[in-house]
Amino acid sequence: MIERIRVQGLKSIDDLKLEFSRINILVGTNSSGKSTLIQSILLASQSLERINCPLNGNLVSLGDFREVRNFITNAKTIDIDLQLDGHTHSITILETDREDSSELRVNNGHEELKPAIKDQLAIDEGLYYLSSSRIGHKDIYEKNYSNIYKFGLLGEYCLYYFEKHKDQILDKTMTRSGAFSNSLEGQVNYWLKHIIGVELSTMDIIGTDKIKASFRHGTRDMRTKNVGSGISYLISIIIMCLSLEAGDTIMIENPEIHLHPKAQSKLTEFLVFVAKANRQIILETHSDHIFNGIRVAVSRGELWQADYTINFFSLDEKHCTKVNPIEISKRGRVIDGPEGLFDQFEIDIDKMLGLTCND
């Protein structure tokens, strides 16, 4: 798991240090550094591949050094330091004399640390990522014949993974009673039904490179195109999270996409359940329902202070990223929350009541 990170000189980030727990929520204003933080972790993972251009690879492609350095502070280097279960992975990216080019320097200290770092930081080994641009509903899905990216970088192979592994029995910590089995299929469908009221079935189309998926709502079977988009976006999250091993980390951008507020709240129950089973989750979200779902879990005693972090991102007067850690009381109340922390509902109520005329 990722214990802490320090990022310097990348986009709006001047010098940022963050601690991580089992479930980590990144919230805040637009273009304030949340996605940049996730990109910095992907850059660190990408550096293990030793590609020629450190800023551009399969996991993340940002352009040239001059585009992504912090121009406000005139950063000469981009530095990323990750602490993973006691091991350190540090990279420095700097501009070269060649036009549109940059150089990567990796410093992991002793050579014997490198295998341990790769086991935790390499995609498909200890680190997983689901982009906000993930795949939506389709009639048929592609099979994956490669040896890497078993879920795909956009979740495009999740249903193929599900079809191949749906009979796999999950670790007891990752199962809920009430499902028809402790298999991946049984648990995926338990949570799908709990969150959004449907169940998933898949079928290998023999002799093709395709997988067919359908949903059941009550006694009715439906094509994927005839159900809401939110269901298709939700599937990837559930399959990937239930397939994690103990100690793995998954980063998910905007898990709330196309989901009703009630479903967002129930999805948070699922994510808390996964995190409590010794899996690490990093969420970038704009959902007050997910934020409030964490507050509910704290108030119920399901999460302790050491189990979660919530960080509110905004820009300071120099337009550089600043981060406010959010503290939740045992009763689920926000302690001294910053302005802009999901307060728009109260602002709108005040306007409707005529208590304020400010825009």
Side-chain angles (χ1 to χ4, degrees), residues 194-242:
H194 175 71
I195 294 170
I196 213 161
V198 301
E199 294 177 290
L200 167 71
S201 63
T202 56
M203 181 181 69
D204 186 350
I205 304 177
I206 303 299
T208 74
D209 298 331
K210 310 294 183 181
I211 294 292
K212 182 180 179 181
S214 62
F215 295 102
R216 173 165 288 238
H217 187 275
T219 59
R220 182 185 176 194
D221 291 323
M222 297 173 290
R223 288 172 53 183
T224 54
K225 285 188 175 180
N226 292 330
V227 298
S229 300
I231 298 176
S232 297
Y233 285 101
L234 177 63
I235 292 171
S236 299
I237 295 175
I238 295 177
I239 292 173
M240 289 179 71
C241 284
L242 288 178

Side-chain angles (χ1 to χ4, degrees), residues 51-69:
I51 60 176
N52 292 329
C53 184
L55 290 170
N56 300 284
N58 289 331
L59 302 182
V60 61
S61 185
L62 300 180
D64 65 59
F65 180 86
R66 286 166 292 181
E67 289 182 281
V68 296
R69 67 164 186 165

Side-chain angles (χ1 to χ4, degrees), residues 243-262:
S243 302
L244 297 175
E245 300 290 337
D248 284 351
T249 297
I250 185 169
M251 302 186 295
I252 306 172
E253 293 180 331
N254 303 119
E256 68 272 14
I257 293 176
H258 294 303
L259 289 179
H260 183 274
K262 184 177 181 180

